[in-house]
Each structure stands twice: as C-alpha cells, then as structure tokens.
C-alpha cells in the first residue's frame, strides 16, 4: 500500500520558512529536522528520536527526499517493512532513476516474499549500475541470487554467480596488472630462484 502524499498547501503564508531545491518547495524546518535526525541515527544511536523527527520532516515537506529515504531505512531496521516499502515507493516517484531506491524496493519485496516484484526491481537497479561500482553491484547480485534461490531457479542463480565471479576476476586482473606488474614479476623471479635452490620462503 503506497502512502498518498497530499499537495503542499499554504507555502506562501510565510515565505521565510521555505527554500527551493531543484524547483521544489522545501520547508526549512524539514531540513533542520533531517540534520538532527541524521545525528541521532548515525552518531548517537537514538533511532526512535530520529524516527519522530523524520516523520515530522516528511509531514512538513512530503517531497523531502532525504528525509523520506532515511525514514524508510529506519522503518526497515525497525522491521516495519511494509511502511518502508511505501516510503521507498514515494521516493522513487520523486527520483525515478535512483538505483539505490530501486534496490531498496527490491529488498523490501524480497523480505516480504514478493519474489516476482523483487526480481523486477533488482533487474532495474542492476541495469542502472556500472560493474566498476563493485561493492554496490555485488550487493545487488547477492539480492538477485537470493531471490532466484527462493524461486527455486537454481541454475539461473548459479549462472548469475559464476558470471559475476568471472567478471570480477577480469577487473581484479586488470587492476593488479596495471598497478603491481613489476612487484608481481619480482615475486615470480624470486619464487623461481627459491625453487632452484630448494629453499623455503618463510
């Protein structure tokens, strides 16, 4: 169930309390509440305080993307997966090309057992991410493999894993080749000399 966001009304009443980000009206208090919530969440581990502040921030500015995403993240952590999914869906309407939001929607659907929907969204997210962004890409593939496993599509899950592993090796090889070629050559030469002299490397 997607939470319906009402139109922002009355922003001309006190223009000093509002700002514009990407041509969208942002209540300055929403921004302040977001920053306080960020500190509460990341530095002080006050999750409930952050939750309350972000809820207020979103109520004041229903299109405040940062607040919506962080609130969704907290909902997910608190086990409120359906609410998290609703918030991520709102965030996607505001920023449709954000691959992290799409991935979060996939992850929520996966946790809720909506595997077909999860697979659709994870595929969308994977298409938007470069393979060079290895850490994020590997997280996406891990979710995809888990979804395929739950769908009993074992061959496809295995194939996805093998393809990723092979591509990862290619990138690692190129990186090592460019950066450590001389060091690698020295190590190989040293190994050959040691083998000839029957010595062991400690």
């Amino acid at each position: 169930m997607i939470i319906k966001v009402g139109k922002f009304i009355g922003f001309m009443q006190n223009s000093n309390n509002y700002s514009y980000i990407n041509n969208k009206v942002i209540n300055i208090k929403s921004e302040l509440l977001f920053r306080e919530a960020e500190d509460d969440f990341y530095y002080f581990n006050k999750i409930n305080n952050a939750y309350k502040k972000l809820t207020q921030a979103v109520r004041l500015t229903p299109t405040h993307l940062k607040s919506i995403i962080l609130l969704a993240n907290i909902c997910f952590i608190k086990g409120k997966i359906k609410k998290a999914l609703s918030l991520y869906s709102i965030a996607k309407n505001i920023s449709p090309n954000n691959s992290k939001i799409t991935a979060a929607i996939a992850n929520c659907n996966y946790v809720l057992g909506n595997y077909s929907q999860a697979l659709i969204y994870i595929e969308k997210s994977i298409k938007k991410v470069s393979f060079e962004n290895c850490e994020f890409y590997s997280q996406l593939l891990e979710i995809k493999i888990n979804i395929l496993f739950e769908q009993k599509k074992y061959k496809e899950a295995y194939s996805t894993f093998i393809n990723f592993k092979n591509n990862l090796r290619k990138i690692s090889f190129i990186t090592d080749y460019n950066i450590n070629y001389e060091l690698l050559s020295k190590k190989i030469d040293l190994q050959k000399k040691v083998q000839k002299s029957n010595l062991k490397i400690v």
Side-chain angles (χ1 to χ4, degrees):
M1 181 181 174
I2 297 173
I3 298 170
K4 292 183 180 177
V5 178
K7 289 184 179 178
F8 191 82
I9 299 169
F11 64 88
M12 296 301 291
Q13 290 174 1
N14 186 353
S15 59
N16 292 331
N17 291 332
Y18 295 90
S19 180
Y20 291 86
I21 297 176
N22 296 329
N23 295 323
K24 290 178 181 170
V25 181
I26 302 293
N27 188 317
I28 291 169
K29 194 169 181 185
S30 291
E31 188 67 27
L32 293 172
L33 286 164
F34 168 77
R35 290 178 188 183
E36 288 175 15
E38 238 187 350
D39 289 344
D40 285 341
F41 181 64
Y42 290 112
Y43 300 112
F44 305 119
N45 200 29
K46 295 179 179 178
I47 295 174
N48 290 331
N49 283 2
Y51 180 86
K52 288 173 186 173
K53 287 173 183 176
L54 291 165
T55 300
Q56 190 181 353
V58 172
R59 184 178 57 78
L60 291 169
T61 311
T63 56
H64 198 242
L65 186 62
K66 295 185 291 186
S67 292
I68 294 167
I69 292 171
L70 186 54
L71 181 57
N73 292 345
I74 290 171
C75 285
F76 189 90
I77 290 166
K78 287 168 76 75
K80 298 180 177 184
I81 310 302
K82 287 183 179 178
K83 186 167 184 182
L85 178 57
S86 296
L87 289 163
Y88 287 130
S89 298
I90 291 167
K92 184 182 177 297
N93 288 336
I94 298 167
S95 181
N97 294 317
N98 188 316
S99 57
K100 289 188 177 180
I101 294 171
T102 313
I105 290 172
N107 201 31
C108 285
N109 276 299
Y110 168 69
V111 172
L112 291 169
N114 305 327
Y115 302 126
S116 296
Q117 280 294 102
L119 191 59
I120 289 167
Y121 279 101
I122 206 67
E123 291 285 15
K124 285 179 181 178
S125 195
I126 288 169
K127 284 176 185 175
K128 294 173 186 172
V129 177
S130 166
F131 185 79
E132 278 68 26
N133 187 353
C134 248
E135 189 177 346
F136 183 44
Y137 193 85
S138 64
Q139 289 172 355
L140 297 178
L141 280 218
E142 185 181 346
I143 295 168
K144 181 180 176 179
I145 290 165
N146 288 337
I147 293 164
L148 292 169
F149 188 85
E150 291 295 339
Q151 291 182 315
K152 303 191 186 318
K153 296 178 180 177
Y154 302 121
K155 286 184 181 178
E156 197 176 337
Y158 182 74
S159 174
T160 301
F161 172 72
I162 293 299
N163 287 337
F164 174 64
K165 198 174 177 183
N166 290 338
N167 286 330
L168 192 63
R169 278 178 183 165
K170 285 177 190 174
I171 284 182
S172 298
F173 175 76
I174 291 165
T175 304
D176 291 342
Y177 183 87
N178 289 336
I179 297 172
N180 297 319
Y181 177 72
E182 287 181 22
L183 180 63
L184 183 61
S185 295
K186 286 177 184 177
K187 292 282 184 187
I188 291 168
D189 288 340
L190 178 62
Q191 193 176 51
K192 285 177 182 175
K193 287 176 185 176
V194 169
Q195 284 171 348
K196 282 182 182 177
S197 61
N198 292 323
L199 294 173
K200 290 182 179 178
I201 297 176
V202 180

